[in-house]
């Protein structure tokens, strides 16, 4: 029996040493808040989140920063550095958005510019804030402070210290990445890869009465419009013309088959550590899992069931297609240094949800 225990101990030590020798995958999360996607990457044993940067999008950058800092405190990841990013898009603004709507029709979601839904929905109406309004979070305010450094500068410094090792998980508007590339023309070439949640090709409406289908209605008449890009089209186009070694786009196409249901919330909460579980249970269900798909396909590319490799750019003309995604096959591209990326079209939803639970399993 003693020999058996010794053998088990040796096997465990060898297994631990083998995994210790595998370097964790470095990632910077660039987003406009703190959500399930952050927890998936922070909790995964194979990932090292080397920093979180914030940007205005769903909410203003100062509010997003406060949410990230509090989320790190509550989840026990206080050592992760946080850098606040761009408050305003490169050119777009709330006034320009309202003028655009008067000319071309209502947007479904406007993020920080949002005051009300265009039609009744089951989702709550977000509070409207100004870009510099003080932040008072309902789940408490953080004692942690952000770095005294702009997000674009933090990205440049971190990538230069770890050339060709850092992935950027960009799940908000691309303002920070555009600014970083403008400040440092070598920045993009030193990044390992970028995973972008943004853009839209031809998402199909889910034919049921789930709340995810309510978001899918947006794409019936405007199949190329998506919020992260529409909030800052100029930054997105600047991103498209930068020399990234590898880009993966997760457009909204696969999201219409997903939903953060109450049952999934409870399943993931049961898999997580108690403080993380409490955070998950506070999340509002009923939304498609946009950012979570981006994290999932980076963690496990085998979850992708269909993708296309396309050339891409974005419409920056202030007309009805402002912010729309433009794509081409090889023979039709304009050849103006537009970007090339793998576009994720569908994913294995059941396997993805199981991968979420695996990522959230309590660490030893």
């Amino acid at each position: 029996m003693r020999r058996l225990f010794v053998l088990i101990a040796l096997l465990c030590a060898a297994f631990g040493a083998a995994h210790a020798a595998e370097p964790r995958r470095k990632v910077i999360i660039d987003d406009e808040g703190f959500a399930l996607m952050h927890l998936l990457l922070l909790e995964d044993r194979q990932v090292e989140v080397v920093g979180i940067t914030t940007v205005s999008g769903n909410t203003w950058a100062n509010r997003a920063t406060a949410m990230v800092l509090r989320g790190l405190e509550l989840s026990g990841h206080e050592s992760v550095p946080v850098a606040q990013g761009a408050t305003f898009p490169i050119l777009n603004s709330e006034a320009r958005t309202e003028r655009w709507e008067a000319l071309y029709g209502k947007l479904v979601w406007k993020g920080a510019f949002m005051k009300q839904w265009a039609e009744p929905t089951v989702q709550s109406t977000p509070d409207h804030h100004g870009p510099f309004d003080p932040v008072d979070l309902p789940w408490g305010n953080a004692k942690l402070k952000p770095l005294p450094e702009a997000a674009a500068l933090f990205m440049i410094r971190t990538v230069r210290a770890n050339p060709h090792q850092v992935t950027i998980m960009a799940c908000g508007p691309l303002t920070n990445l555009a600014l970083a590339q403008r400040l440092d023309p070598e920045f993009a070439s030193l990044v390992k890869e970028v995973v972008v949640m943004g853009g839209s090709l031809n998402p199909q409406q889910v034919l049921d009465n789930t709340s995810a289908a309510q978001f899918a209605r947006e794409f019936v008449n405007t199949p190329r419009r998506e919020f992260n890009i529409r909030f800052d089209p100029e930054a997105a186009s600047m991103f498209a013309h930068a020399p990234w070694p590898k880009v993966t786009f997760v457009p909204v196409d696969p999201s219409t088959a997903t939903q953060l249901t109450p049952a999934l919330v409870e399943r993931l909460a049961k898999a997580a550590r108690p403080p993380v579980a409490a955070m998950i249970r506070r999340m509002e269900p009923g939304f498609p899992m946009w950012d979570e798909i981006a994290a999932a396909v980076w963690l496990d590319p085998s979850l992708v069931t269909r993708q296309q490799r396309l050339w891409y750019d974005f419409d920056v003309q202030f007309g009805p297609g402002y912010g729309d995604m433009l794509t081409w096959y090889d023979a039709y591209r304009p050849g103006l240094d537009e970007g090339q990326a793998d576009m994720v079209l569908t994913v294995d939803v059941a396997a993805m949800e199981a991968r979420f639970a695996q990522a959230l399993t309590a660490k030893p």
Side-chain angles (χ1 to χ4, degrees), residues 156-307:
I156 292 170
R157 177 171 60 83
T158 304
V159 167
R160 282 197 167 274
N162 304 274
H164 313 296
Q165 299 178 52
V166 178
T167 295
I168 298 179
M169 182 69 55
C171 292
L174 297 170
T175 318
N176 289 334
L177 280 78
L179 293 173
Q181 178 62 15
R182 280 294 185 265
L183 289 169
D184 181 357
E186 295 183 339
F187 169 72
S189 64
L190 295 174
V191 170
K192 182 177 181 179
E193 63 177 313
V194 185
V195 179
V196 180
M197 191 281 117
S200 179
L201 296 176
N202 187 28
Q204 301 301 303
Q205 183 172 5
V206 179
L207 299 178
D208 58 25
N209 60 357
T210 65
S211 53
Q214 294 182 355
F215 281 91
R217 283 203 304 270
E218 174 183 7
F219 309 113
V220 173
N221 297 308
T222 54
R224 290 285 172 143
R225 182 189 302 156
E226 181 275 329
F227 168 74
N228 282 346
I229 304 302
R230 178 59 180 75
F231 192 80
D232 195 346
E234 285 75 19
S237 187
M238 292 163 66
F239 175 91
H241 292 269
W244 312 101
K246 180 182 179 182
V247 178
T248 301
F249 262 86
V250 178
V252 293
D253 297 58
S255 73
T256 58
T258 70
Q259 185 179 174
L260 185 64
T261 63
L264 181 58
V265 168
E266 188 58 27
R267 176 186 177 186
L268 298 180
K270 288 180 178 179
R273 297 182 294 112
V276 174
M279 298 181 69
I280 293 173
R281 288 191 173 102
R282 281 199 298 266
M283 295 177 178
E284 181 178 1
F287 289 90
M289 292 188 288
W290 300 290
D291 298 356
E292 290 73 27
I293 299 174
V297 300
W298 179 66
L299 291 171
D300 185 359
S302 71
L303 296 172
V304 178
T305 55
R306 189 163 61 97
Q307 68 181 21

Side-chain angles (χ1 to χ4, degrees), residues 31-338:
D31 200 9
E32 70 268 70
F34 192 89
L36 178 59
M37 177 271 294
H38 294 76
L39 293 173
L40 294 172
L41 295 176
L42 287 164
E43 291 290 291
D44 196 288
R45 298 180 181 90
Q46 301 173 356
V47 176
E48 179 186 0
V49 179
V50 295
I52 299 177
T53 54
T54 62
V55 64
S56 290
N58 285 333
T59 189
W60 294 107
N62 66 336
R63 190 164 297 273
T65 303
M67 293 167 65
V68 168
L69 293 171
R70 184 57 175 157
L72 292 174
E73 282 184 347
L74 292 174
S75 62
H77 293 283
E78 296 94 335
S79 63
V80 177
V82 178
Q84 184 167 313
T87 296
F88 299 108
I90 300 295
L91 183 60
N92 192 31
S93 67
E94 188 166 0
R96 287 171 62 88
T97 298
E98 291 174 353
R99 177 61 58 87
W100 186 94
E101 286 187 306
L103 293 170
Y104 304 113
K106 303 300 181 184
L107 296 169
V108 173
W109 176 250
K110 292 181 286 186
F113 305 153
M114 190 81 172
K115 295 177 181 176
Q116 63 184 29
W117 297 98
E119 60 180 328
T121 70
V122 299
Q123 289 82 16
S124 60
T125 301
D127 295 329
H128 184 263
H129 302 280
F132 305 112
D133 288 351
V135 180
D136 189 16
L137 298 177
W139 54 89
N141 297 317
K143 295 180 181 178
L144 289 176
K145 302 296 181 184
L147 297 173
E149 181 178 35
L153 297 177
F154 170 79
M155 286 180 171
I156 292 170
R157 177 171 60 83
T158 304
V159 167
R160 282 197 167 274
N162 304 274
H164 313 296
Q165 299 178 52
V166 178
T167 295
I168 298 179
M169 182 69 55
C171 292
L174 297 170
T175 318
N176 289 334
L177 280 78
L179 293 173
Q181 178 62 15
R182 280 294 185 265
L183 289 169
D184 181 357
E186 295 183 339
F187 169 72
S189 64
L190 295 174
V191 170
K192 182 177 181 179
E193 63 177 313
V194 185
V195 179
V196 180
M197 191 281 117
S200 179
L201 296 176
N202 187 28
Q204 301 301 303
Q205 183 172 5
V206 179
L207 299 178
D208 58 25
N209 60 357
T210 65
S211 53
Q214 294 182 355
F215 281 91
R217 283 203 304 270
E218 174 183 7
F219 309 113
V220 173
N221 297 308
T222 54
R224 290 285 172 143
R225 182 189 302 156
E226 181 275 329
F227 168 74
N228 282 346
I229 304 302
R230 178 59 180 75
F231 192 80
D232 195 346
E234 285 75 19
S237 187
M238 292 163 66
F239 175 91
H241 292 269
W244 312 101
K246 180 182 179 182
V247 178
T248 301
F249 262 86
V250 178
V252 293
D253 297 58
S255 73
T256 58
T258 70
Q259 185 179 174
L260 185 64
T261 63
L264 181 58
V265 168
E266 188 58 27
R267 176 186 177 186
L268 298 180
K270 288 180 178 179
R273 297 182 294 112
V276 174
M279 298 181 69
I280 293 173
R281 288 191 173 102
R282 281 199 298 266
M283 295 177 178
E284 181 178 1
F287 289 90
M289 292 188 288
W290 300 290
D291 298 356
E292 290 73 27
I293 299 174
V297 300
W298 179 66
L299 291 171
D300 185 359
S302 71
L303 296 172
V304 178
T305 55
R306 189 163 61 97
Q307 68 181 21
Q308 283 185 314
R309 188 157 181 80
L310 297 171
W311 299 93
Y312 71 95
D313 201 347
F314 302 94
D315 189 343
V316 294
Q317 301 300 314
F318 194 78
Y322 183 53
D324 281 6
M325 187 173 221
L326 309 173
T327 56
W328 304 271
Y329 294 115
D330 289 347
Y332 299 96
R333 58 174 293 211
L336 296 174
D337 297 320
E338 58 277 351

